């Protein structure tokens, strides 16, 4: 879909860089479809606020902590949308929330941020570690099942399971 849109735009303005446009469109469409899937699920579950909270927290934590990527943007859209749509339905008792949160805090302290692709180092790794660890630790007071689930899943994605 990104290629089709980029080619259509390029016909109207041949000076546009198709490869750059495809890349940009893929990222935007990925977010759009993930949110759309989550909102469709919320139409059945009525969890509008939970889905918005899940989206905002996931984007904040993921953007600051890095993590592994799925094999394609299509898979990313599907898995992210379903995850954000279903995570508000999960409820744990207080002890499970605390354990999940502590595991997340320790994982973020040890591994965040962990980017599994090349990037320009802007010198904000320590700042990002402090932010994600602080957000994770705040769930020790908030005790949110939604937050604990998002934190532990994101923490799992930053663990370097094998050598690079």
């Amino acid at each position: 879909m990104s290629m089709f849109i980029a080619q259509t735009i390029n016909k109207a303005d041949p000076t546009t860089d198709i490869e750059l446009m495809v890349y940009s469109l893929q990222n935007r469409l990925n977010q759009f479809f993930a949110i759309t899937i989550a909102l469709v699920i919320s139409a059945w579950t009525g969890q509008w606020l939970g889905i918005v909270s899940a989206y905002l927290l996931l984007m904040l934590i993921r953007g600051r902590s890095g993590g592994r990527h799925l094999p394609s943007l299509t898979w990313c859209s599907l898995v992210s949308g379903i995850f954000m749509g279903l995570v508000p339905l999960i409820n744990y008792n207080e002890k499970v929330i605390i354990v999940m949160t502590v595991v997340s805090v320790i994982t973020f302290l040890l591994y965040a941020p962990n980017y599994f692709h090349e990037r320009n180092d802007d010198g904000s790794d320590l700042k990002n570690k402090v932010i994600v660890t602080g957000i994770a630790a705040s769930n020790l007071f908030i005790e949110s099942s939604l937050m604990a689930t998002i934190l532990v899943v994101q923490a799992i994605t930053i663990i370097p399971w094998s050598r690079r």
Side-chain angles (χ1 to χ4, degrees):
M1 184 181 289
S2 300
M3 180 59 82
F4 173 77
I5 294 170
Q7 287 173 338
T8 303
I9 292 171
N10 187 263
K11 286 179 186 172
D13 181 8
T15 63
T16 58
D17 182 344
I18 289 183
E19 287 182 26
L20 183 62
M21 197 177 321
V22 166
Y23 175 78
S24 179
L25 286 166
Q26 284 175 335
N27 290 320
R28 299 286 183 234
L29 289 173
N30 176 39
Q31 291 175 342
F32 172 76
F33 287 122
I35 292 168
T36 301
I37 291 166
L39 291 176
V40 167
I41 293 171
S42 77
W44 288 317
T45 64
Q47 295 291 325
W48 300 95
L49 185 57
I51 286 171
V52 170
S53 300
Y55 175 76
L56 293 174
L57 179 62
L58 185 60
M59 293 303 105
L60 175 64
I61 295 293
R62 181 111 177 118
R64 299 271 181 186
S65 66
R68 292 218 181 263
H69 292 275
L70 291 170
S72 72
L73 288 174
T74 302
W75 275 107
C76 182
S77 296
L78 288 170
V79 171
S80 297
I82 292 168
F83 178 67
M84 288 185 292
L86 296 180
V87 76
L89 302 174
I90 299 170
N91 287 305
Y92 305 112
N93 67 42
E94 182 181 320
K95 290 179 183 177
V96 173
I97 293 170
I98 301 270
V99 168
M100 290 172 71
T101 301
V102 168
V103 166
S104 300
V105 168
I106 292 168
T107 304
F108 289 131
L109 273 172
L110 293 173
Y111 300 113
N114 196 357
Y115 302 99
F116 293 90
H117 55 82
E118 288 186 35
R119 68 181 183 91
N120 292 330
D121 185 7
D122 61 1
S124 61
D125 283 358
L126 179 60
K127 178 177 132 184
N128 287 337
K129 179 187 290 282
V130 170
I131 290 170
V132 297
T133 304
I135 290 169
S138 74
N139 199 41
L140 293 170
F141 303 101
I142 298 169
E143 295 182 356
S144 163
S145 291
L146 180 144
M147 194 167 175
T149 304
I150 289 172
L151 291 170
V152 81
V153 168
Q154 179 56 29
I156 289 167
T157 71
I158 68 168
I159 297 172
W161 297 101
S162 62
R163 294 183 184 254
R164 292 184 198 180

